[in-house]
Amino acid sequence: MRIITDSTCDLPRKLVEEYDIIIVPLTVILGSKSYRDYYDLSPNEFYRMLNETEDFPSTSQPSVDDFLRVYKEIGKDESILSLHISMDMSATPQSAWLASQQLPDIQIDVIDSRTTSVGLGLIVLEAAKAAKNGADDRTIIKLVERLISEVKVYFSVDSLDHLLKGGRIGKAQALAGTMLKIKPLLSIEDGLVTPVEKIRGSRKLLRRMREIVIRDSTENKTVKGAFVWGQNEKPVEGLSRHLSESLNFEEIYRNNLGNVITSHAGPTAFAIGYFCEK
Amino acid sequence: MMIMRMCGYRKAAMSISHCNGEGFRKAFMAGASWLNENKEILNQLNVFPVPDGDTGLNMSLTLLSATDKLESMTDASLKEILETVARETLMNARGCSGVIFSQVIAGFTELSYINDKFTCFDIARGLKLGTEKAYKAVTKPTEGTILTVVKESSDEAIKFARNNNNILKMLEVVLKRAKESLDKTPEMLPILAQAGVVDSGAQGFVYMLEGILAFVKGDNLKTSYNLDPDLTHNKVPQNLEYRYCTEFLLTDSEEDIPFIRKKMTAFGDDLIVIGSRNMIRIHIHTNKPEKVLAMAHLHGKPIQIKIDDMQKQHRHIINKAKEEFNTDRNISIIATAPGGGIKAIMISLGTNTVLVGDKIRNPSVSELIDAIENASNNNIILFPNDKNIIPAVNQASEITDKNVKIIPTENISQGITALLAFKLNSDTDENLKNMNEAKGYVKHGEITQANRDAQYGEVVVQKNDIIGLYDGSVRVSEKNYSDAFLQLIKYMIQDDEDEVITIYYGENINSAEAKDIADAVASEFLEQDIELHYGGQFYCSYIISLE
């Protein structure tokens, strides 16, 4: 089984290559120019451009044709699992699904992961590992189903502006317009950005994130986690160090946020994704 | 302002009664170009289904590759042109409106007998077939969108073409009908009415028609809209036919998608059924979520079930004229505040009603009772935010029949911190527990000018000294504000958990003065974040919260 995903998974290139994952890029539009996520523009270059402009970036899903080309290239010999960003955040799964409907001869499962970024990345990576180990299709799909309900994503941003302007603020809309400076602790719950807590101060924010991961961990089981961040890696470093000290924590990877997620969350975002090993 | 210029070869290409390949090619490109020029407006109109402001971009990208290809197809037959446009728009379709548009074009390719030219009736039939394809392609045909406008336009075209064969005239009546239909979209789709806009995809279709008609007539078009980009923010519908948004994933099902779709249709609207056999995602707006799930159980295993009460979710409109500020919940929060600035902050944090005392007195019991009785909910959470108001609050809660819970906040710092701990998705008991706990995590200080000589413990105060109070007791007395600030904050700070200092300046302080004080505090306390707000309180010069 071949695993296909979209560029919002924010997986490090090394792992993508190691596990033969195919990534279909979304497109970022800034000013009058558009760039394919990761292919045309590196994250660091994008953060620099964002800091120099007043414009807010927008994004665009891959076309049906983009998916058709990728699916056709793989062809009939292999089944395909196409795992994507939440349908409530992007029409990417719709493009993938429309493409899959045009190829009745190829076995394609299009699955909406109900999450994105580091959450999608962890699910894709586990699925690709299972596929590489020779697991059968049904086992991989069962694994993905389980991870969709178990993988948690918590994140924060310095400002809600990007989430608001890009229309992806979801239920965290309730936090917009707050006159005091708050550090919003956010999560992705069933496909939507959801507010968890309104926190005053960055040290308290990191402490709460740590507390939540520890609360979710079961005794003696390993918590597998990954981190993504935009311009500032510092909170991620602190969080990772503290988690390793206080529980059985395995950091699977850490990576810069890609340009599509940065467009909607802003360059100050950072996130942790994790799940408890069975 | 943008102007679209049309060239003069239209008459040869598109005579009154027929349209050949060249005519269709130019007309399509003119329509696409006019739509493209107006894509920013379409982006701003976009509130449905997701208000992400990309309809213009999506529609324009859907057409882009087709127009690129058409550029060079000067000698192509009508059939070749139609096939090219249909193929390119389908392959590059983006967004709901883009997909629908591509299906409308695809309708024309169904006219298999067409080879070299269109009559009025052919165009009408193509539009009609396209409409049918569009309705089938989307799993959630919603009226009040591009679908409605396309359908009504094709009906008008069929009606006209039965008795006439004048393409120019037909385009005029069809465009007129399309515009009327467009104007009705807010009536059909309440979310549009709330936002005060027409449907963006439908507007895109109208631009296409306008561009085509202008080409045929040889007119120049000018963009004339001037939309407020903030127009569409924060406005979502209230009266919903179906109350519950129900979503789940159906696994282990033996049935295919058309079968499941058929089974679900009766339960509500906005139905989306997509996926593959072992994972079907179902989204429906319904009044009977339990029946939907019971049906799902018969045909598989529903997982990741999500049911949202949209009536509660969607009361988002901030109406500043009303005394009560609506928020999404069944609890009203009432608080008192020592000044207008703090009142505004409390409202921005979700308080429904804030009572402000004046120079000489605090809110009375009867004012508190009025606020409780006028609240839109029976469940009330009350923040006194002042030790001296707690007795009045207790009394008011005993008199009313409503269910009032009091968080005994003794000062405004506690009130704001407790309010921040309120969570929309938690139940009342958990919220009460969290808020009561949170109010203990903040320290409250006040700075003001002494109006007489006095001694408080060790602290000797002379009239006009600047004194600092912490927890209600005078702790410092200095000759100027900045010294009083630095000494009091030093007294209050214990460890690095104290990381945010918020200063609220009072009615008698001007903002420049307050800014200087905040700068002085910031240069002294490098480990803390400093925030300065207008509080508007009468009873003291500054309030300091440390958390």
Side-chain angles (χ1 to χ4, degrees):
Chain A
M1 184 171 236
R2 203 58 192 272
I3 312 297
I4 293 179
T5 185
D6 57 71
S7 64
T8 68
C9 73
D10 293 340
L11 275 170
R13 174 186 281 215
K14 193 175 153 288
L15 292 173
V16 171
E17 284 167 3
E18 187 177 343
Y19 291 102
D20 295 330
I21 299 162
I22 297 176
I23 294 188
V24 179
L26 280 76
T27 302
V28 172
I29 301 129
L30 185 63
S32 55
K33 282 195 167 160
S34 63
Y35 311 87
R36 284 173 307 157
D37 199 7
Y38 288 101
Y39 287 74
D40 297 339
L41 190 62
S42 76
N44 281 315
E45 177 73 356
F46 187 58
Y47 307 150
R48 192 186 56 72
M49 285 164 64
L50 281 184
N51 289 334
E52 286 170 4
T53 175
E54 298 275 291
D55 290 344
F56 268 82
S58 62
T59 58
S60 162
Q61 84 248 27
S63 67
V64 176
D65 198 31
D66 292 340
F67 279 105
L68 274 179
R69 256 181 284 132
V70 172
Y71 292 158
K72 276 185 191 154
E73 207 163 290
I74 294 169
K76 287 178 231 176
D77 301 338
E78 236 177 328
S79 60
I80 295 172
L81 175 57
S82 206
L83 252 170
H84 298 286
I85 177 174
S86 157
M87 226 170 74
D88 294 319
M89 296 176 171
S90 165
T92 301
Q94 198 180 359
S95 288
W97 183 73
L98 282 171
S100 74
Q101 293 307 102
Q102 292 186 34
L103 300 170
D105 296 342
I106 308 180
Q107 168 63 40
I108 308 171
D109 282 289
V110 177
I111 294 183
D112 168 358
S113 70
R114 310 308 293 142
T115 182
T116 188
S117 188
V118 69
L120 176 59
L122 281 172
I123 300 170
V124 166
L125 185 61
E126 291 301 302
K129 282 179 181 170
K132 197 159 194 189
N133 288 335
D136 62 39
D137 292 7
R138 190 155 177 83
T139 310
I140 296 172
I141 290 191
K142 284 273 168 207
L143 170 72
V144 166
E145 269 179 42
R146 177 172 76 79
L147 288 173
I148 285 176
S149 59
E150 285 179 10
V151 167
K152 298 218 163 69
V153 175
Y154 286 93
F155 71 108
S156 188
V157 292
D158 274 3
S159 138
L160 293 166
D161 281 4
H162 280 83
L163 284 169
L164 255 178
K165 296 215 173 159
R168 263 65 173 195
I169 193 159
K171 294 177 175 171
Q173 173 83 39
L175 304 188
T178 302
M179 288 168 71
L180 291 180
K181 283 190 204 120
I182 53 161
K183 300 274 175 193
L185 173 53
L186 306 166
S187 69
I188 301 176
E189 304 275 348
D190 195 22
L192 282 176
V193 172
T194 307
V196 181
E197 279 170 33
K198 294 159 277 196
I199 292 170
R200 300 270 283 159
S202 28
R203 290 192 287 270
K204 283 192 199 72
L205 171 71
L206 290 178
R207 197 188 65 206
R208 273 305 285 153
M209 281 182 148
R210 208 160 71 220
E211 284 170 1
I212 288 172
V213 181
I214 292 170
R215 180 198 70 196
D216 287 348
S217 64
T218 5
E219 222 177 321
N220 298 327
K221 297 281 200 250
T222 306
V223 173
K224 291 185 162 190
F227 298 95
V228 287
W229 74 93
Q231 279 170 320
N232 185 6
E233 192 179 357
K234 233 171 137 189
V236 162
E237 278 169 354
L239 199 51
S240 174
R241 194 179 58 243
H242 278 114
L243 286 172
S244 312
E245 284 164 7
S246 21
L247 74 161
N248 239 341
F249 184 79
E250 183 191 336
E251 179 178 320
I252 302 180
Y253 66 87
R254 61 169 80 173
N255 197 24
N256 268 128
L257 281 172
N259 302 338
V260 169
I261 298 297
T262 301
S263 296
H264 290 296
T268 60
F270 68 94
I272 176 173
Y274 62 92
F275 61 96
C276 221
E277 200 165 53
K278 276 276 157 186
Chain B
M1 185 167 294
M2 288 170 286
I3 298 174
M4 186 176 71
R5 287 187 182 80
M6 283 300 138
C7 310
Y9 38 63
R10 63 197 166 272
K11 275 179 188 142
M14 199 183 268
S15 74
I16 294 298
S17 59
H18 290 90
C19 164
N20 63 11
E22 183 63 4
F24 187 82
R25 184 179 80 94
K26 288 287 180 195
F28 184 87
M29 288 173 72
S33 145
W34 183 233
L35 186 148
N36 185 51
E37 287 201 18
N38 286 290
K39 68 175 179 231
E40 268 314 313
I41 293 172
L42 299 179
N43 287 341
Q44 289 177 14
L45 288 173
N46 178 201
V47 295
F48 179 84
V50 185
D52 49 3
D54 62 359
T55 298
L57 185 67
N58 282 336
M59 291 189 89
S60 155
L61 287 172
T62 301
L63 298 174
L64 186 68
S65 146
T67 50
D68 276 356
K69 287 258 163 30
L70 289 185
E71 198 75 60
S72 59
M73 294 179 67
T74 40
D75 291 314
S77 71
L78 179 58
K79 197 181 174 77
E80 283 166 343
I81 286 178
L82 285 173
E83 276 165 6
T84 302
V85 173
R87 188 181 62 244
E88 292 304 321
T89 52
L90 178 69
M91 286 304 160
N92 294 289
R94 283 172 203 243
C96 283
S97 299
V99 171
I100 291 168
F101 198 84
S102 73
Q103 297 302 298
V104 174
I105 301 293
F108 285 90
T109 59
E110 304 254 304
L111 302 170
S112 49
Y113 56 86
I114 291 295
N115 198 15
D116 210 30
K117 58 188 176 189
F118 272 148
T119 63
C120 260
F121 197 73
D122 297 328
I123 295 174
R125 254 181 68 76
L127 206 49
K128 187 81 191 156
L129 289 168
T131 306
E132 284 163 18
K133 280 182 93 76
Y135 269 83
K136 277 185 211 140
V138 287
T139 43
K140 189 179 73 165
T142 304
E143 296 301 342
T145 63
I146 182 173
L147 280 175
T148 311
V149 176
V150 166
K151 182 179 70 189
E152 296 194 9
S153 302
S154 70
D155 289 343
E156 190 69 31
I158 292 279
K159 206 169 94 191
F160 179 89
R162 282 211 185 96
N163 303 313
N164 305 279
N165 191 19
N166 181 329
I167 291 178
L168 176 66
K169 278 260 158 55
M170 180 168 85
L171 283 169
E172 280 175 341
V173 297
V174 169
L175 177 62
K176 182 165 169 284
R177 178 69 183 272
K179 282 181 170 169
E180 286 165 2
S181 177
L182 174 68
D183 288 342
K184 278 191 320 204
T185 56
E187 290 167 41
M188 304 174 83
L189 196 54
I191 190 170
L192 300 174
Q194 291 288 355
V197 296
V198 294
D199 181 68
S200 53
Q203 176 70 70
F205 180 70
V206 167
Y207 281 139
M208 188 80 197
L209 288 179
E210 268 183 356
I212 291 171
L213 179 64
F215 162 73
V216 176
K217 286 167 77 173
D219 289 343
N220 285 339
L221 291 172
K222 291 175 189 171
T223 50
S224 60
Y225 294 78
N226 193 6
L227 270 178
D228 174 6
D230 288 325
L231 188 69
T232 55
H233 285 311
N234 296 326
K235 294 179 178 177
V236 207
Q238 283 179 306
N239 299 319
L240 300 157
E241 188 186 351
Y242 292 102
R243 184 163 174 180
Y244 298 98
C245 173
T246 305
E247 280 186 275
F248 57 94
L249 210 51
L250 188 62
T251 57
D252 293 338
S253 177
E254 297 298 313
E255 310 297 346
D256 60 7
I257 288 172
F259 177 87
I260 297 292
R261 185 179 297 144
K262 209 171 133 207
K263 287 286 174 196
M264 291 296 164
T265 315
F267 291 112
D269 69 5
D270 286 349
L271 176 65
I272 302 179
V273 184
I274 68 161
S276 62
R277 189 172 290 235
N278 35 24
M279 265 210 170
I280 302 175
R281 173 155 289 281
I282 293 156
H283 166 285
I284 188 169
H285 291 167
T286 178
N287 286 327
K288 298 193 170 89
E290 71 287 358
K291 294 246 163 91
V292 171
L293 292 171
M295 173 61 78
H297 265 295
L298 288 176
H299 301 290
K301 196 176 128 219
I303 60 166
Q304 288 181 37
I305 299 161
K306 195 187 87 178
I307 301 171
D308 285 327
D309 184 342
M310 295 186 289
Q311 224 155 54
K312 278 186 197 150
Q313 272 183 1
H314 287 173
R315 276 191 227 127
H316 260 302
I317 299 169
I318 301 163
N319 183 352
K320 298 211 167 174
K322 280 198 211 157
E323 200 34 54
E324 179 164 357
F325 293 79
N326 291 320
T327 40
D328 321 334
R329 51 171 180 248
N330 53 11
I331 286 179
S332 293
I333 297 180
I334 300 175
T336 78
I342 290 173
K343 171 179 176 168
I345 288 169
M346 298 211 73
I347 283 166
S348 85
L349 294 172
T351 313
N352 300 81
T353 307
V354 181
L355 302 172
V356 182
D358 61 25
K359 264 180 209 166
I360 41 173
R361 61 171 194 90
N362 288 327
S364 68
V365 175
S366 71
E367 283 168 328
L368 285 163
I369 291 172
D370 281 351
I372 293 168
E373 295 300 327
N374 289 330
S376 57
N377 294 296
N378 276 325
N379 298 316
I380 313 275
I381 295 179
L382 231 167
F383 293 85
N385 293 341
D386 184 334
K387 222 189 311 193
N388 299 322
I389 302 178
I390 294 178
V393 161
N394 284 331
Q395 222 181 324
S397 74
E398 280 164 22
I399 293 169
T400 176
D401 289 336
K402 289 195 175 182
N403 174 26
V404 180
K405 304 278 186 206
I406 297 165
I407 311 284
T409 47
E410 297 184 353
N411 53 55
I412 195 63
S413 302
Q414 290 188 353
I416 286 176
T417 302
L419 196 52
L420 281 167
F422 181 86
K423 286 192 238 169
L424 278 177
N425 37 2
S426 295
D427 64 35
T428 310
D429 286 345
E430 200 190 328
N431 267 323
L432 291 173
K433 181 175 159 282
N434 287 339
M435 290 192 287
N436 270 310
E437 206 177 292
K439 74 176 168 53
Y441 296 147
V442 63
K443 295 170 187 164
H444 176 80
E446 290 165 10
I447 299 233
T448 201
Q449 195 162 29
N451 53 15
R452 58 186 170 89
D453 294 354
Q455 181 159 3
Y456 303 92
E458 305 272 284
V459 187
V460 178
V461 179
Q462 289 179 318
K463 189 179 176 191
N464 294 335
D465 276 358
I466 308 302
I467 53 170
L469 296 87
Y470 170 45
D471 263 353
S473 308
V474 176
R475 303 290 179 182
V476 299
S477 179
E478 300 288 338
K479 295 297 170 196
N480 63 56
Y481 276 111
S482 58
D483 285 345
F485 259 93
L486 302 185
Q487 293 309 321
L488 183 66
I489 294 173
K490 266 185 200 148
Y491 186 89
M492 289 165 74
I493 287 185
Q494 277 167 338
D495 51 35
D496 69 355
E497 287 293 300
D498 293 324
E499 52 176 327
V500 182
I501 300 169
T502 314
I503 301 169
Y504 303 93
Y505 61 96
E507 187 59 30
N508 63 331
I509 301 292
N510 72 48
S511 60
E513 246 177 291
K515 178 81 175 46
D516 288 346
I517 291 287
D519 288 345
V521 172
S523 60
E524 183 71 21
F525 299 97
L526 300 172
E527 290 293 302
Q528 280 73 26
D529 291 333
I530 318 293
E531 252 185 270
L532 178 69
H533 293 279
Y534 168 65
Q537 69 275 10
F538 302 104
Y539 80 98
C540 69
S541 305
Y542 293 94
I543 293 170
I544 302 170
S545 302
L546 181 62
E547 59 202 312

